[in-house]
Every structure is written in C-alpha cells, then in structure tokens.
Amino acid sequence: MKEKILITGCAGFIGSSLTKKLLKNKNFSIYGLDNINSYYDLNLKKNRLRELVKDKNFKFFKIDISNKKLILKNFKKYKYNHVFHLAAQAGVRYSIENPEQYLNSNLIGFYNILEAIKINKVRNFYFASSSSVYGDKKKFPLSENFSTDFPKSFYAATKKCNEVMAYSYSSLYKIKTIGFRFFTVYGPQGRPDMTPFSFLDKHFRNQKIKVFNQGKHERDFTYIDDTINLIFKIFKKTKSKKFKSKFEVYNIAGGKPNKLMNYINLIEKKLKKKIRKKFIKKQPGDVLKTFADVKKTYKLTKYKTQVSIGDGITNFVNWYLNYYKKK
Ligand SMILES: NC(=O)c1ccc[n+]([C@@H]2O[C@H](COP(=O)([O-])OP(=O)(O)OC[C@H]3O[C@@H](n4cnc5c(N)ncnc54)[C@H](O)[C@@H]3O)[C@@H](O)[C@H]2O)c1
C-alpha cells in the first residue's frame, strides 16, 4: 500500500517544490491543498500547480483551511498517513497592516488541521514555522533551545502559537510532530514579496528598490533545493518507528548569514547593471539578523547545504529573466 501524503500550501513556493520532490518517489500517493489566494501573482501559483497536476499520482483540492467542515470532510475521505502543513499567510511586513488574515489562516486554519489530524489519527505531522520566532537576539547562532517569547511581528506571533498549539496536541494525542523553522528561503519560482524577486521587479519597472536599515540587515538565506533536501531527510528519519521523540523543531538553514548589501551586489554583478536604491530606516517588525545554529539539524540529517549564495542568485536571476522574458 502506498503511503498517503497531504501537502497544504502546495501551490506556494516551498509547497510546490516539496510536492515535486515527493512525487519522484512512487511509494507515495500525493495530495495537495491550497486556496490559491491572491496575496501575490496568481499566474505564478497557477503555473506551479499546472506542473504538478500533470502527474497522475497527484490530486489537488482547492480548499481554504479556515473552513473546518471541508477540512474534516477531506481528511475523513482520504485518510492521510503524513501531513505537511505549509499553507499560511506569509510575510512579516504585511502582517502589521492585515493581522486578520493571519488570524484566519495561521491560527484558526492551523487549529482545523490539528483537529483533523487528531480525529483521523494521522501518524506524522510536519508544519512550517519560521526563524522569525527568535525575535531580535543578541546571541548567535540561533539555537532551537533559545527562548522564543518575544516575537516582533504578528506573523511571528502566529508561528510561535503554531509551535505551542502543535506541542499540546502532540503530547495529548501522541502525534509525532516536527516543526521546520525556515530561514529566508529563495530561488527560482520564489515569492514575489521577498528578495531577490522584489528587487528585480522594481529594477525592471525602473523604480528604486527600498534598502531598509541601510542594507545592514543580515539573513541566513537558504536556497530552495537545500531547503527541500533538508525537509526530505528529516521526513525519512523521523517517520521511522526508530525515531522516538514525539515533538521536535529544526532550523532549516545553512548557518551562513549574509549582509543584505552583499546580496544586492551579487544581483548587480549577475545583471551587469547597477540597481537604483533608496536607503530607508529599519521597519517595524523587522529583525536585524538571522543566523541559524544548524548542529541539531545536521546531527539528524548529516546534510550540509550545498548551494552558495553566488550560485543561488545566478540561478534565480536566470530563471527570472527567462520567465519574464527580460534582458
Ligand atoms: N519562504 C520563506 O522564506 C519562509 C520563511 C519562514 C517560514 N515560511 C513558512 O513556510 C510556509 C510556506 O511558505 P512559502 O514561502 O511557500 O509561502 P507561499 O505564500 O508561497 O505559500 C503558501 C501557500 O499557502 C496558501 N494559503 C494561504 N492561506 C491559505 C488558506 N487559508 N487555505 C489554503 N491555502 C492557503 C497560499 O495560496 C500559498 O499558495 C508558510 O507557512 C510560511 O509562513 C516561509
């Protein structure tokens, strides 16, 4: 019997790449769920999905996770063995203007998924958390055992809540649960609201990019292929009966922070053009630096991230120029 896997947020950046990876394994039946909301370019989501539905081993449902009735009905019908819950309202800055969307998708929606998992006795639950749960720390690298009590945005607060909600269900109902703390994932087909995508969009519209905090922010940029390899290795190890722990969180990153200005310089080098910039002060909700401690993740996976920031930017810029027919 094939193992049944549900991926929520399958039309999203990370969700679609994970779905593609899991579809390569013929021991799995893959199901995907997404509400295809218009937070960013719908065509990008539809194109990602178009690729996935070509595979006969993939079944798609257009459902909003805040609709408990539909979620429970779907879980009852398909009886999943494993669930990867990636659907969420993402974005730090957007959460300051639109907190309600985060309440509906990230808290109510997350609760609905937990209930469906409990009722249908799903074996393994994997969910997306974020490096933003660490807030502004003075000590680096950021280790999974650091406190996460001071989120700087409502988005980060919802991700912190997800971790504690998931912990309570895991301990009450013995659900094996793993949280992924993603660190600034980037690459081809990435999110238009994030760098480097947003920088290229502005550049080709002949607008100045906004460089917050004078470009002094540092981020542990993580290439999409490395992200997916880490998720897959964690999945393989933790779904085994030999893995006894009922609840863990893992940093998903390379542990190699980069200054934002360095990142912009790499994009300019690849484009062979200067990008026009407007330097702006730090924005509410932004953290100054992320830099992951990857010891715990490495101990489990024995995987070191492989794609350098230079190669990652090159791959992204090539994809962007080709996808949008730019020169
Ligand atoms: N990309 C990153 O760098 C990053 C960093 C930290 C955490 N994360 C988290 O990882 C997950 C995936 O992120 P991503 O970058 O792929 O984002 P994304 O926005 O590309 O993907 C999220 C998907 O979820 C869907 N969705 C949103 N609300 C929904 C709802 N109510 N019902 C059903 N579907 C819904 C969206 O349509 C979208 O396709 C999210 O939970 C995000 O918060 C991402």
Side-chain angles (χ1 to χ4, degrees):
M1 268 273 274
K2 286 189 176 192
E3 293 176 72
K4 290 184 171 184
I5 304 180
L6 173 70
I7 298 147
T8 73
C10 67
F13 174 37
I14 303 175
S16 58
S17 307
L18 178 65
T19 306
K20 229 185 281 167
K21 168 89 177 176
L22 293 172
L23 277 168
K24 288 191 182 133
N25 189 323
K26 298 300 167 210
N27 296 322
F28 303 141
S29 287
I30 309 294
Y31 300 79
L33 183 158
D34 204 298
N35 68 349
I36 323 272
N37 68 31
S38 54
Y39 171 57
Y40 60 75
D41 183 10
L42 275 179
N43 284 328
L44 193 57
K45 291 187 183 180
K46 286 182 182 160
N47 284 342
R48 294 179 186 137
L49 201 54
R50 207 169 289 135
E51 284 299 304
L52 301 177
V53 295
K54 282 182 193 158
D55 195 314
K56 287 196 184 64
N57 203 21
F58 178 72
K59 193 170 172 59
F60 174 68
F61 312 107
K62 187 168 186 288
I63 297 180
D64 193 309
I65 54 167
S66 64
N67 188 330
K68 190 175 181 189
K69 230 177 162 172
L70 287 183
I71 289 293
L72 291 183
K73 200 171 151 201
N74 179 280
F75 271 65
K76 191 173 174 193
K77 181 162 181 195
Y78 292 98
K79 297 274 173 230
Y80 305 116
N81 302 108
H82 318 284
V83 171
F84 286 89
H85 179 43
L86 303 175
Q89 179 56 54
V92 168
R93 291 185 191 125
Y94 190 68
S95 74
I96 294 164
E97 306 294 323
N98 304 279
E100 203 151 317
Q101 293 189 30
Y102 292 73
L103 176 74
N104 291 331
S105 294
N106 301 12
L107 298 177
I108 296 170
F110 194 88
Y111 162 75
N112 292 339
I113 296 288
L114 283 176
E115 274 290 288
I117 282 175
K118 174 189 86 179
I119 293 167
N120 295 286
K121 299 194 170 35
V122 173
R123 267 206 331 262
N124 298 304
F125 177 46
Y126 299 85
F127 70 96
S129 183
S130 160
S131 61
S132 65
V133 298
Y134 291 112
D136 253 336
K137 288 273 185 289
K138 295 211 160 54
K139 207 175 141 198
F140 294 94
L142 300 166
S143 164
E144 288 89 343
N145 57 24
F146 281 14
S147 89
T148 53
D149 293 335
F150 304 102
K152 295 208 63 190
S153 63
F154 190 60
Y155 167 71
T158 65
K159 291 292 174 181
K160 162 77 183 185
C161 287
N162 289 170
E163 292 189 1
V164 289
M165 287 160 84
Y167 179 81
S168 72
Y169 267 60
S170 162
S171 71
L172 284 168
Y173 309 112
K174 312 282 175 270
I175 305 160
K176 203 188 264 184
T177 300
I178 305 291
F180 300 120
R181 289 182 179 165
F182 295 122
F183 281 68
T184 320
V185 185
Y186 75 104
Q189 302 216 10
R191 279 206 349 243
D193 61 325
M194 287 178 75
T195 60
F197 206 131
S198 57
F199 287 164
L200 261 71
D201 269 355
K202 284 248 164 30
H203 171 72
F204 283 107
R205 274 194 229 123
N206 210 14
Q207 292 170 359
K208 286 185 181 173
I209 63 164
K210 288 180 188 164
V211 184
F212 298 113
N213 193 28
Q214 314 298 323
K216 285 188 221 141
H217 276 161
E218 282 181 67
R219 291 289 177 268
D220 204 333
F221 293 102
T222 313
Y223 193 68
I224 184 69
D225 295 5
D226 282 323
T227 303
I228 299 302
N229 287 340
L230 281 168
I231 295 176
F232 190 66
K233 284 183 185 290
I234 292 174
F235 172 57
K236 277 211 320 215
K237 289 277 178 188
T238 56
K239 83 183 179 77
S240 144
K241 287 215 169 67
K242 280 192 229 148
F243 188 85
K244 295 291 177 209
S245 174
K246 280 279 174 248
F247 183 91
E248 295 293 341
V249 291
Y250 291 97
N251 286 339
I252 303 294
K256 296 173 202 123
N258 256 277
K259 284 221 162 59
L260 189 61
M261 264 327 278
N262 179 36
Y263 194 69
I264 296 171
N265 291 338
L266 287 169
I267 301 173
E268 290 178 326
K269 215 170 123 190
K270 175 69 194 158
L271 287 173
K272 297 197 183 77
K273 280 190 190 120
K274 279 279 168 214
I275 294 177
R276 294 184 332 133
K277 307 170 195 71
K278 186 173 179 191
F279 290 91
I280 287 177
K281 66 177 191 321
K282 186 171 171 277
Q283 297 294 289
D286 283 0
V287 299
L288 289 170
K289 174 173 173 172
T290 66
F291 168 14
D293 183 334
V294 292
K295 281 199 285 298
K296 180 178 174 183
T297 307
Y298 181 74
K299 196 171 169 213
L300 181 73
T301 60
K302 301 285 179 288
Y303 181 84
K304 281 203 170 108
T305 53
Q306 291 168 359
V307 182
S308 69
I309 188 88
D311 289 347
I313 290 287
T314 297
N315 294 348
F316 173 78
V317 174
N318 286 342
W319 170 80
Y320 183 97
L321 298 178
N322 183 40
Y323 187 82
Y324 289 108
K325 312 261 177 289
K326 303 275 183 201
K327 276 190 190 141

